Amino acid sequence: MHNEKVKSFWVDTIETVAFVIVAVIIIRFFIGEIRWIPSGSMHPTLLEGDRIFVERFSRFYAAPERGDIMIFYPPFVELDSTFGGVFKRLTGFFCKDIAYIKRVVGMPGDKFEIKEAGDGACTVFINDKPLDEPYIQSKYDYIKCNDKMYCGPFVIPEGQYFMMGDNRGNSQDSRFWGFLPEDRFIGRAVFLFWPPSRMKNL
């Protein structure tokens, strides 16, 4: 009798753990996940320590749009393609793959260029027209372009995006590592829920 109870206990435990893992995978892959902000690259929109909800379901039927705040694996990060690596990304358990959060600024087919005015203000031009960006920290607080950076003018290839942080003076983004392939997107940041005093839709 004792052995049967022990066996039943372990069977129930294993079934429960398996159910939880499958549920986590389904939720993270098809619905969304919670992330926290580790750096100041998205000031003033997002601050260090903010908690956000990232939805993942829209990627099944729609491409990212200009202005969307996206979570993604940067192109220079080599993802672990083993079963263990994929399992970690699906569940979030012990996953060490580096993910970034930036805003979609340039879309496939756009002519893109960053121009600096005489007073030091920098502006993004899309198809030769200045892009209205009320969300950035300051058009004067910019990392100045040089010949090693991607500042344009160029046309963004199909299936590629140009990502930038809202804090243009402190963001390692597409200006440094180039275009982002669409298959590198994880999800779209839609809601800031912590701290409560900063709760808002993104």
Side-chain angles (χ1 to χ4, degrees):
M1 181 69 70
H2 175 72
N3 289 339
E4 289 181 0
K5 288 183 177 180
V6 171
K7 182 179 179 181
S8 176
F9 167 79
W10 283 111
V11 169
D12 289 344
T13 299
I14 292 172
E15 288 179 348
T16 300
V17 170
F19 173 80
V20 169
I21 290 175
V22 171
V24 168
I25 290 174
I26 291 174
I27 292 171
R28 283 176 59 91
F29 187 77
F30 291 103
I31 301 176
E33 60 183 281
I34 291 172
R35 295 259 177 172
W36 69 282
I37 305 303
S39 74
S41 70
M42 286 297 292
H43 281 199
T45 309
L46 296 170
L47 307 181
E48 296 94 324
D50 283 351
R51 265 60 171 180
I52 60 174
F53 177 73
V54 179
E55 63 87 1
R56 304 189 67 172
F57 54 85
S58 65
R59 75 188 193 279
F60 294 109
Y61 60 83
E65 298 180 356
R66 194 187 325 277
D68 285 348
I69 299 174
M70 303 295 294
I71 310 293
F72 59 91
Y73 297 117
F76 55 84
V77 171
E78 185 175 348
L79 300 178
D80 185 353
S81 59
T82 65
F83 174 80
V86 173
F87 178 81
K88 290 175 183 178
R89 283 196 295 278
L90 286 174
T91 61
F93 300 149
F94 309 109
C95 182
K96 296 182 179 180
D97 291 323
I98 297 173
Y100 279 14
I101 179 167
K102 309 290 179 189
R103 192 182 294 272
V104 176
V105 176
M107 301 283 290
D110 282 345
K111 180 184 176 184
F112 180 95
E113 186 175 9
I114 298 173
K115 296 182 180 180
E116 183 177 350
D119 62 356
C122 293
T123 303
V124 171
F125 280 73
I126 300 294
N127 300 322
D128 298 318
K129 295 181 180 180
L131 182 63
D132 182 25
E133 297 189 283
Y135 43 75
I136 67 172
Q137 179 152 295
S138 171
K139 62 171 54 180
Y140 295 95
D141 185 11
Y142 245 84
I143 298 173
K144 304 305 180 184
C145 291
N146 58 54
D147 57 6
K148 294 182 180 180
M149 294 170 63
Y150 295 82
C151 291
F154 48 68
V155 175
I156 300 173
E158 288 302 315
Q160 308 279 326
Y161 294 79
F162 201 90
M163 313 298 295
M164 297 181 74
D166 291 354
N167 183 0
R168 301 289 163 79
N170 182 26
S171 177
Q172 292 293 315
D173 49 38
S174 285
R175 291 172 293 174
F176 297 92
W177 39 258
F179 308 122
L180 179 72
E182 187 172 359
D183 62 6
R184 284 274 169 155
F185 286 122
I186 298 171
R188 182 168 62 96
V190 294
F191 188 67
L192 190 162
F193 67 90
W194 192 267
S197 60
R198 288 178 34 77
M199 191 179 297
K200 61 182 177 180
N201 291 320
L202 297 172

